Amino acid sequence: LDSLFFALQRIITTLANKNEELHNFIETLSHLLAGVQVNSGQVVSDLEEEFDTLFSILEEAKESMTNTIKQEQARKSHELQNQLTQSTNALESAEELLEFANHALDIKDEEEFAKAAKQIKDRVTMAPAFRLTMKPKATDNMTHLMVDFSQERQLLQGLRFLPVPRAPEIEVQDCMVVDNAVTIVWRMPVEDSKIDHYILEYRKTNHEGLPRVKDERCWELVDNVKNTEYILMDLLVYIAGLKFDSKFMNFRVRACNKAAAGDYSDPVTLETRAFNFGFDSSSSHLNLKVEECSVEWDPQGGKGLDSKVKGKENKGSAHLTNLKNMTRSGTPSPKRGSNTRSPAPRGGRDRFTGESYTVLGDTSIDSRQHYWEVKALKDCKSYSVGVAYKNLGKFDQLGKTNTTWCIHVNNWLQNSFAAKHNNKAKSLDMPVPERIGVYCDLDGGQLSFYNAESKQLLHVFKTKFTQPVVPAFMVWCGGLSLSTGLQVPSAVRSFQKAENGLAGSNSSLNSMAQ
């Protein structure tokens, strides 16, 4: 019966997954069907607009060329009409002179005849008929204004839809997710020399498998990609690369030529799991001002509890700035802190109090390997970074119990840099890095600290964790900023594989530092 029960459970799980897959596919088909209707109407509208524009251009050209013909007609008509008028006047003058000359032949008086002959001679010299050009100033030919539309007609007859590139194919086997950067590789199914660029789109999601039409996040776009490979990383978010705050990421790509963009490739889903957590403000020491990814020392935190409850939380923002102006006697040290106890918040663990200026992460680690980074704010006097069991007492200080492991930085009075566990310290003979990387392998029983920039190993604890741990932090006179959503860096993974023989224990500091 047990075997049948488990077999039935597997069948039910398989059917549920298939039902979910079919539901997602039906939503995709419905979305595509609606898209076909909308996009078809849009391209018809665009086509009509293009033809209207073409008709308008032809009408404008026709009107312009007709005006040119009319202007040429008017010019020639004017020229020829002027010549016609002048020639008519000249003819009338010549006919009159001819008639006068014929009459002069009948004059008998020699003196009168000589006078008439001289007058005729002078008039002939000045006659318009002899001054006119007998060549027309214009012809009746208008063929120079004829138009040959054969090429244009051929172009119009050859109108076709734009040559659209084919959909690329993403090479999943060549894609990589390493060091908070995603490398996407694709190829064209057929070589296309007319492709100008590609458009890559990505979307974070917590759903495995094919992308869902209705997802909580929108597609983001990377335009004008010139090659068939792209490394996606955001240096503005984290120096280490993208923040992986989702389990998966969907990717798709399309090719573009000078005319149009082609269809999207089949989408792919890549795993981008990483350890995401923030500071747990509900149990932090009252002298710590806690936000999701930052914590600052606030010496007035306990005194201002009532005003904070009423919403006046901005007083603590100026305390860090004023630390430089405070005297040593006005700033309680970690060893002289007040032991004022405050009531624990309802539904949570007791707040850290007394000299334990501690804040824990809000997410525990119960398996696998995880990595996060911490950066101290400028002039921070004292801080610790490490892990602890969740049952850490509210008076317990990091590194002073057998349930906490940390490295501690002290810049107050006497500088020190040490690894601490079970009230024992091992001095670390190296500069304190600007950012500290923390690697926790709960299953392998290893906690390592690195220079986050160079990936130099600072210290490693080897122990057998008997229960889940939580990231743990101590801050005094300063502040810390937290970077999560990070993969274990490849350099750290390689180092862990090469150095898995480092010695250590849960009760001593025999581990090696490099």
Side-chain angles (χ1 to χ4, degrees):
L1 290 178
D2 289 342
S3 61
L4 289 175
F5 177 78
F6 288 121
L8 183 58
Q9 275 191 325
R10 288 195 297 271
I11 292 173
I12 291 173
T13 302
T14 302
L15 288 174
N17 292 337
K18 180 56 68 176
N19 286 349
E20 184 179 6
E21 185 179 344
L22 285 171
H23 181 73
N24 184 38
F25 184 61
I26 289 172
E27 283 189 343
T28 300
L29 292 176
S30 300
H31 179 75
L32 291 174
L33 184 60
V36 167
Q37 304 303 319
V38 173
N39 294 336
S40 297
Q42 182 62 49
V43 294
V44 168
S45 176
D46 292 343
L47 184 64
E48 291 176 347
E49 184 178 348
E50 289 293 335
F51 270 98
D52 289 343
T53 302
L54 186 59
F55 294 153
S56 176
I57 293 173
L58 289 173
E59 286 293 335
E60 290 177 2
K62 177 183 176 182
E63 182 179 356
S64 175
M65 297 175 81
T66 301
N67 288 336
T68 300
I69 293 174
K70 290 180 178 180
Q71 290 172 3
E72 183 69 358
Q73 177 190 6
R75 183 188 70 79
K76 286 192 173 188
S77 297
H78 180 71
E79 293 285 350
L80 293 173
Q81 187 62 50
N82 284 342
Q83 276 192 297
L84 179 60
T85 301
Q86 292 173 1
S87 297
T88 301
N89 292 337
L91 178 60
E92 291 176 356
S93 177
E95 288 177 344
E96 181 186 355
L97 183 58
L98 177 61
E99 184 179 357
F100 179 72
N102 287 330
H103 286 303
L105 292 176
D106 297 333
I107 298 176
K108 303 300 183 180
D109 187 314
E110 293 183 357
E111 184 177 350
E112 288 293 328
F113 180 77
K115 183 179 178 182
K118 183 178 183 305
Q119 187 177 2
I120 292 170
K121 180 181 178 181
D122 291 341
R123 289 182 63 182
V124 167
T125 302
M126 299 299 295
F130 294 97
R131 299 168 66 90
L132 286 176
T133 299
M134 303 303 288
K135 180 180 179 182
K137 291 185 177 180
T139 69
D140 60 352
N141 182 24
M142 299 292 283
T143 57
H144 64 288
L145 294 177
M146 293 181 66
V147 181
D148 180 10
F149 280 110
S150 58
Q151 290 185 351
E152 287 75 7
R153 189 178 297 110
Q154 186 176 2
L155 285 173
L156 290 173
Q157 290 172 344
L159 278 178
R160 299 291 185 272
F161 291 107
L162 293 173
V164 179
R166 297 180 64 175
E169 297 175 355
I170 297 180
E171 303 280 11
V172 180
Q173 69 277 7
D174 295 328
C175 296
M176 295 187 297
V177 182
V178 179
D179 294 338
N180 282 81
V182 183
T183 301
I184 303 297
V185 181
W186 61 90
R187 67 176 183 86
M188 294 300 296
V190 177
E191 185 175 352
D192 188 346
S193 60
K194 295 183 179 180
I195 291 178
D196 178 69
H197 66 278
Y198 299 91
I199 297 175
L200 173 67
E201 295 188 5
Y202 65 95
R203 178 176 65 182
K204 295 181 178 181
T205 180
N206 287 317
H207 303 292
E208 191 173 7
L210 293 176
R212 303 188 175 198
V213 175
K214 297 179 181 179
D215 204 296
E216 63 272 14
R217 308 197 190 192
C218 298
W219 289 97
E220 298 185 57
L221 181 145
V222 180
D223 199 357
N224 203 32
V225 179
K226 294 296 185 180
N227 301 313
T228 57
E229 178 178 329
Y230 189 80
I231 300 176
L232 182 66
M233 59 188 303
D234 190 351
L235 296 178
L236 297 179
V237 177
Y238 281 114
I239 296 177
L242 286 168
K243 180 176 181 178
F244 285 168
D245 51 4
S246 64
K247 296 179 181 178
F248 304 95
M249 289 181 71
N250 304 141
F251 294 89
R252 64 186 184 186
V253 64
R254 66 197 307 194
C256 306
N257 56 27
K258 294 291 186 181
D263 286 335
Y264 286 106
S265 65
D266 289 335
V268 300
T269 301
L270 301 179
E271 185 176 4
T272 56
R273 295 180 189 269
F275 186 42
N276 285 276
F277 69 94
F279 291 117
D280 179 14
S281 60
S282 65
S283 60
S284 64
H285 196 287
L286 287 177
N287 286 120
L288 298 180
K289 179 186 176 184
V290 176
E291 296 182 359
E292 183 180 3
C293 291
S294 66
V295 55
E296 293 185 20
W297 163 260
D298 181 2
Q300 303 300 318
K303 298 178 182 178
L305 180 60
D306 293 338
S307 62
K308 286 184 180 181
V309 172
K310 294 177 183 179
K312 300 178 181 179
E313 296 179 328
N314 294 326
K315 289 183 179 182
S317 61
H319 293 316
L320 184 61
T321 305
N322 295 330
L323 285 176
K324 296 181 179 179
N325 301 324
M326 297 175 65
T327 62
R328 186 183 304 170
S329 59
T331 305
S333 72
K335 297 182 178 180
R336 295 183 179 180
S338 171
N339 288 328
T340 303
R341 300 184 184 183
S342 301
R346 292 181 180 179
R349 57 162 288 150
D350 289 343
R351 280 191 180 275
F352 290 100
T353 188
E355 299 174 1
S356 182
Y357 302 111
T358 302
V359 58
L360 302 178
D362 59 9
T363 304
S364 63
I365 300 172
D366 54 14
S367 64
R368 305 176 63 182
Q369 298 83 37
H370 301 286
Y371 179 84
W372 61 96
E373 294 180 357
V374 180
K375 179 179 179 180
L377 301 184
K378 188 177 180 181
D379 298 330
C380 185
K381 285 186 169 58
S382 180
Y383 62 93
S384 298
V385 178
V387 299
Y389 288 153
K390 293 189 291 185
N391 60 359
L392 183 64
K394 64 180 181 179
F395 294 104
D396 292 342
Q397 299 181 36
L398 298 187
K400 293 190 176 183
T401 70
N402 62 356
T403 61
T404 60
W405 299 258
C406 70
I407 58 173
H408 175 73
V409 178
N410 181 50
N411 297 316
W412 183 67
L413 296 181
Q414 186 175 359
N415 293 347
S416 64
F417 184 30
K420 291 186 174 183
H421 169 65
N422 202 21
N423 207 27
K424 295 181 181 180
K426 177 180 175 61
S427 179
L428 304 179
D429 187 17
M430 61 188 70
V432 178
E434 182 178 352
R435 288 188 302 127
I436 296 174
V438 184
Y439 168 80
C440 181
D441 179 3
L442 193 81
D443 301 324
Q446 188 162 309
L447 177 68
S448 303
F449 299 90
Y450 289 86
N451 181 323
E453 295 287 350
S454 66
K455 300 302 182 289
Q456 175 195 17
L457 179 66
L458 305 176
H459 189 80
V460 58
F461 291 103
K462 288 209 120 196
T463 185
K464 182 178 180 180
F465 295 111
T466 58
Q467 56 181 284
V469 298
V470 289
F473 311 85
M474 184 282 292
V475 185
W476 177 72
C477 284
L480 300 175
S481 64
L482 177 65
S483 297
T484 67
L486 304 177
Q487 286 184 300
V488 178
S490 55
V492 172
R493 287 189 181 277
S494 300
F495 187 86
Q496 293 298 327
K497 289 180 180 179
E499 299 293 329
N500 57 10
L502 291 178
S505 72
N506 67 333
S507 59
S508 66
L509 291 168
N510 295 326
S511 54
M512 298 172 61
Q514 298 189 6

